[in-house]
Amino acid sequence: MTVRVGVGYDSHRFGAGGPMRLGGIDIPSDVHCAGHSDGDAICHAVTDALLGAAALGDIGEMFPDTDAANKGRDSIEMLKAALVRLQTAGLRVHNVDITVVTQAPKIGPHRPAIRARLAETLDVPLDAVFVKGKTNEGMGWIGRGEGLAVLCTASVVTR
Ligand code: CDP
Ligand code: ZN
């Protein structure tokens, strides 16, 4: 069995009005992540981490934001498409670990729902998915609440 590791990163500017779509769930919030798709920065970072681990491309190449078909697109569907690419190459997901850097909302209370949604999407056990939140201690653009950033590490194994 070969283990491969990838890293993904995403950031989105906040727009007025909630809810905030993150990790395939809708979190109550006064702001949302603006974007061409549904703005789900967790799904985007996870997608890039998996594609990177497999050396099979990146999310922008799979789903160009210049393509009208991707407007408002459900990012869980993008993640599933990346998963199919991995499966076709004989790989399966071993685990993903996510850090959301944002002043608000608190991620902790939504951990169970996000883990469940992503585990179901990736067809892995619950303990193969973890998510954590951190503030940026009030510093910089994240500290000012202009947007958020997401980091994801992922490991994949040969099937
Ligand atoms: O305590 P420290 O400065 O290291 O971290 P913090 O950014 O103040 O966050 C403290 C804790 O709050 C985190 O370890 C998480 O448990 C939680 N947190 C969260 O769930 N969601 C966030 N957006 C920020 C923090
Ligand atoms: Zn994104």
Side-chain angles (χ1 to χ4, degrees):
M1 186 181 77
T2 307
V3 183
R4 303 178 57 103
V5 175
V7 61
Y9 169 84
D10 195 26
S11 61
H12 279 255
R13 188 181 290 276
F14 290 148
M20 188 182 295
R21 185 80 171 167
L22 271 183
I25 68 162
D26 285 322
I27 294 176
S29 168
D30 294 336
V31 293
H32 67 281
C33 290
H36 188 68
S37 67
D38 63 4
D40 191 331
I42 288 185
C43 282
H44 299 171
V46 174
T47 299
D48 257 358
L50 291 174
L51 289 172
L56 284 175
D58 65 63
I59 190 169
E61 164 260 319
M62 276 188 84
F63 302 100
D65 64 7
T66 46
D67 187 343
N70 295 326
K71 188 155 175 54
R73 193 175 196 125
D74 180 353
S75 298
I76 285 280
E77 296 305 320
M78 298 197 228
L79 183 51
K80 280 184 182 161
L83 184 68
V84 169
R85 202 178 256 205
L86 262 71
Q87 287 167 339
T88 304
L91 295 165
R92 67 179 168 84
V93 178
H94 184 63
N95 83 300
V96 297
D97 182 32
I98 301 151
T99 297
V100 183
V101 190
T102 188
Q103 296 298 128
K106 283 273 183 253
I107 300 301
H110 305 287
R111 173 181 288 157
I114 293 172
R115 291 182 74 192
R117 187 81 212 276
L118 293 180
E120 179 207 8
T121 302
L122 297 173
D123 195 22
V124 294
L126 212 48
D127 70 358
V129 180
F130 208 72
V131 62
K132 310 169 297 299
K134 291 290 284 188
T135 70
N136 211 37
E137 297 287 346
M139 296 180 288
W141 62 271
I142 294 175
R144 291 190 294 272
E146 293 173 15
L148 60 68
V150 179
L151 298 154
C152 177
T153 52
S155 60
V156 303
V157 291
T158 46
R159 291 161 77 79

